């Protein structure tokens, strides 16, 4: 019904039949299917909560990557809220209004604050990543919560998934180290 990026942890919804798939896809289109994520970004955003509203399309210089562009793009909207701050990093809660390929990763990189551990959209590894290389098998992005209406029963349902151990360990290290504010 929806996808998450390679090396992103968390929840997925899979339809068992075509009728369920159509019903769930319609909810995504209508923005009644909510997807909430947690991420750690490099640096600090200007505001403690906000919205990135910037169209996303294929990167003309690298077809494997996406970018914010006006050419052959689709509308993309990501809402964010600061969960915690560290010396050089910020833990965010994010909510998707749209669902474009690599949306959160592209939007955060576009703001100048790529995801910790993102080898595609971050220009360089941080000192924290270099110091703790075994923590990162990809970007620090986790699909934490999905809310939808069951396509058959009509019941509103919410599913949550705790942060994976690696993500929790990274947050713990950020809190305990000289990386914490």
């Amino acid at each position: 019904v929806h996808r998450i990026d390679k090396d992103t942890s968390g929840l997925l919804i899979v339809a068992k039949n075509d009728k369920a798939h159509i019903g769930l896809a319609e909810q995504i289109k209508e923005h009644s299917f909510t997807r909430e994520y947690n991420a750690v970004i490099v640096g600090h955003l200007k505001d403690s909560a906000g919205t990135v509203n910037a169209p996303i399309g294929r990167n003309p210089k690298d077809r494997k990557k996406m970018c914010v562009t006006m050419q052959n793009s689709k509308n993309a909207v990501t809402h964010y809220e600061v969960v915690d701050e560290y010396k050089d990093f910020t833990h965010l809660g994010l909510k998707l209004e749209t669902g474009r390929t690599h949306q959160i990763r592209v939007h955060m990189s576009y703001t100048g604050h790529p995801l910790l551990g993102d080898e595609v959209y971050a220009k360089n590894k941080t000192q924290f990543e270099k110091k703790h290389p075994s923590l990162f098998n990809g970007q620090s992005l986790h699909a934490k919560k999905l809310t939808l209406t069951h396509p058959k029963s009509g019941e509103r349902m919410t599913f949550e998934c705790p942060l994976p151990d690696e993500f929790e360990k990274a947050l713990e290290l950020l809190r305990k180290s000289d990386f914490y504010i």
Side-chain angles (χ1 to χ4, degrees), residues 8-181:
T8 295
S9 59
L11 295 167
L12 274 177
I13 295 293
V14 179
K16 288 176 70 174
N17 57 52
D18 287 340
K19 184 178 179 183
H21 184 265
I22 291 166
L24 292 166
E26 187 62 30
Q27 289 179 52
I28 290 173
K29 186 178 176 183
E30 296 171 351
H31 308 295
S32 63
F33 182 119
T34 62
R35 293 158 290 173
E36 297 179 34
Y37 290 76
N38 269 208
V40 175
I41 60 167
V42 178
H44 301 281
L45 294 163
K46 187 176 89 172
D47 299 313
S48 62
T51 299
V52 180
N53 185 349
I56 294 176
R58 289 253 170 237
N59 186 323
K61 296 176 185 171
D62 184 346
R63 300 292 298 158
K64 293 180 183 178
K65 292 172 76 173
M66 306 301 283
C67 69
V68 170
T69 180
M70 297 306 280
Q71 293 183 315
N72 301 314
S73 61
K74 292 184 179 179
N75 182 45
V77 180
T78 304
H79 305 282
Y80 67 85
E81 188 171 334
V82 171
V83 175
D84 203 355
E85 290 187 295
Y86 311 97
K87 181 180 174 202
D88 297 318
F89 305 95
T90 304
H91 179 188
L92 294 177
L94 302 119
K95 188 174 182 180
L96 294 180
E97 190 171 311
T98 56
R100 307 294 173 228
T101 302
H102 301 173
Q103 180 173 319
I104 291 171
R105 297 166 64 196
V106 170
H107 273 172
M108 292 299 104
S109 181
Y110 174 71
T111 67
H113 304 285
L115 271 60
L116 182 62
D118 193 336
E119 294 188 4
V120 175
Y121 295 102
K123 289 181 175 62
N124 301 305
K125 286 189 183 276
T126 64
Q127 289 297 339
F128 184 79
E129 290 168 278
K130 290 175 185 176
K131 188 174 179 180
H132 304 286
S134 63
L135 280 178
F136 300 97
N137 294 320
Q139 63 278 352
S140 57
L141 182 60
H142 177 70
K144 184 176 180 165
K145 185 176 179 181
L146 298 174
T147 302
L148 58 101
T149 301
H150 191 281
K152 188 172 183 180
S153 71
E155 178 186 357
R156 193 74 175 152
M157 305 176 85
T158 298
F159 302 92
E160 291 191 59
C161 180
L163 294 172
D165 292 341
E166 300 83 22
F167 201 116
E168 287 285 6
K169 177 136 175 129
L171 292 175
E172 182 181 326
L173 286 167
L174 287 169
R175 281 184 210 105
K176 287 182 176 180
S177 72
D178 58 347
F179 295 104
Y180 198 56
I181 293 177

